[in-house]
Amino acid sequence: MKVLINISAALVCLIVGYLIGSISNSIIIGRLVYHQDPRDAGSRNAGGTNAGRLWGRKMGFFIIALDMIKVILPLWLMWSLLTFIKFDGTALMPSGMEFVNGEIADYTIPWPVYWLSILGTVVGHCYPVYYGFRGGKGVSSFYGVLIGGCWVNFVVTGVTFMITIGAKHYVSLASVVSSIVGTIFSWVWAILIECGVFSSHPTLMFIPTYGTTLYCNYVLAICLTIMMVILIVKHIPNMKRIRKGEENKITWLKER
C-alpha cells in the first residue's frame, strides 16, 4: 500500500505541476492585449524574453514574474497538502526538520516528493498541452524554482546570469550557463546533506530555503538536472546561431 501511495503522490505532483505549467502567460496576454501570438513573431517562442522583445521591457518582466510564480504555486501547494493534511491522524510526509533528524519511519512518504511538481511545471511550460505543445524555453521556470525553493541558489545563479549577459549580451548563453551553475550548486548542497556536514548544526542546512520547510536534498538536484537538460536542448538552435554570429543580442533590457 505504501508503494502505491508513493507512486500516486509522485504522479499527482507531476500532473498538477504539468497542468499549471501548461498555462502560458505570454500567449494569454498576447492574444488578449496585443491580439498576437508570441510564437508567430520575434524568436517565435512563448517566453518572457520574446515577450519583452515584442511588447516592451515592462511587459517582458511582468510575464517573467508570472512564469516564476507559476512554478512556485504548485511546489508550495503540494508541500502544504502532503505536510499538513492528516490521514489517520498522521501527515503523509515528514517536515523538513524530521527529514534531517531521520524521523521518517512512521510516515507513508519518506522523501520530498513535492519537488516533482517543479519538474512537471517546466515540462508544461516548454510543452504546454493547451497550446499544441509549443511553449517557452524553461528559463523563467528554472529561476522560479530557485526563488521559491532555494533563494541562496537563486542569488548565485542570478549573479552568474547577470555577469554572463553583461559580458556577452546573449540571453540564451546566460540562461544555459546559469542553469548549469544552479544545478551544480544543488548537487553540492545535496552531497553536503547526505555526508552529514550539517549533523552538528542541522538548522544551517535550511539557510537556502525559508526556514525548516523544504528539504533540498538529491531529489531537488535530480529535478534541476532534468530541467537543465530540457533548457539546454531548447537552446541548441541559439547556441548554433551564436557560433555563426547570427544570434540577436538583448537590447530591450536597456529600454526606458
Side-chain angles (χ1 to χ4, degrees):
M1 180 60 71
K2 283 190 175 183
V3 173
L4 180 60
I5 293 176
N6 274 264
I7 294 175
S8 299
L11 290 176
V12 169
C13 287
L14 285 169
I15 292 172
V16 169
Y18 177 75
L19 293 177
I20 294 177
S22 290
I23 300 172
S24 177
N25 296 299
S26 63
I27 294 177
I28 293 173
I29 292 175
R31 290 178 177 177
L32 291 178
V33 179
Y34 301 99
H35 306 291
Q36 180 183 29
D37 191 322
R39 298 172 299 176
D40 296 332
S43 58
R44 300 181 182 278
N45 77 85
T49 300
N50 194 39
R53 185 179 292 115
L54 296 174
W55 307 318
R57 179 177 63 180
K58 291 182 180 179
M59 183 55 69
F61 281 130
F62 179 63
I63 290 175
I64 288 173
L66 289 178
D67 286 343
M68 287 183 176
I69 294 172
K70 183 173 67 175
V71 184
I72 297 171
L73 284 177
L75 169 61
W76 284 95
L77 172 64
M78 298 312 301
W79 173 82
S80 300
L81 291 175
L82 295 170
T83 303
F84 293 116
I85 293 182
K86 298 183 181 299
F87 295 88
D88 295 328
T90 305
L92 285 173
M93 189 179 62
S95 65
M97 186 56 73
E98 286 173 318
F99 273 122
V100 176
N101 295 331
E103 301 169 1
I104 60 177
D106 295 331
Y107 290 91
T108 304
I109 304 176
W111 57 293
V113 65
Y114 45 76
W115 289 120
L116 293 182
S117 66
I118 67 173
L119 182 57
T121 306
V122 75
V123 173
H125 179 76
C126 295
Y127 307 100
V129 66
Y130 313 126
Y131 305 103
F133 303 101
R134 291 176 56 215
K137 295 186 177 181
V139 180
S140 297
S141 298
F142 192 93
Y143 273 85
V145 171
L146 301 185
I147 197 171
C150 188
W151 68 268
V152 171
N153 197 342
F154 173 76
V155 172
V156 172
T157 307
V159 169
T160 303
F161 181 92
M162 297 308 297
I163 291 175
T164 306
I165 202 170
K168 300 297 182 180
H169 305 289
Y170 292 118
V171 172
S172 54
L173 180 62
S175 300
V176 169
V177 172
S178 62
S179 69
I180 293 173
V181 170
T183 302
I184 292 174
F185 182 95
S186 69
W187 276 109
V188 170
W189 201 262
I191 291 172
L192 291 176
I193 292 174
E194 295 299 325
C195 291
V197 173
F198 304 104
S199 58
S200 58
H201 300 284
T203 53
L204 290 178
M205 68 174 295
F206 291 103
I207 290 176
T209 60
Y210 300 92
T212 55
T213 52
L214 304 177
Y215 186 54
C216 299
N217 70 339
Y218 66 90
V219 180
L220 170 60
I222 291 173
C223 290
L224 284 178
T225 301
I226 298 173
M227 292 172 66
M228 177 196 69
V229 171
I230 294 173
L231 188 152
I232 292 175
V233 169
K234 296 285 283 187
H235 282 86
I236 287 177
N238 302 82
M239 298 299 103
K240 291 181 178 179
R241 288 195 293 270
I242 289 177
R243 291 184 62 184
K244 296 178 181 179
E246 299 173 353
E247 177 77 348
N248 294 323
K249 293 186 177 182
I250 191 69
T251 57
W252 61 266
L253 286 174
K254 300 179 181 179
E255 294 176 1
R256 294 184 178 180

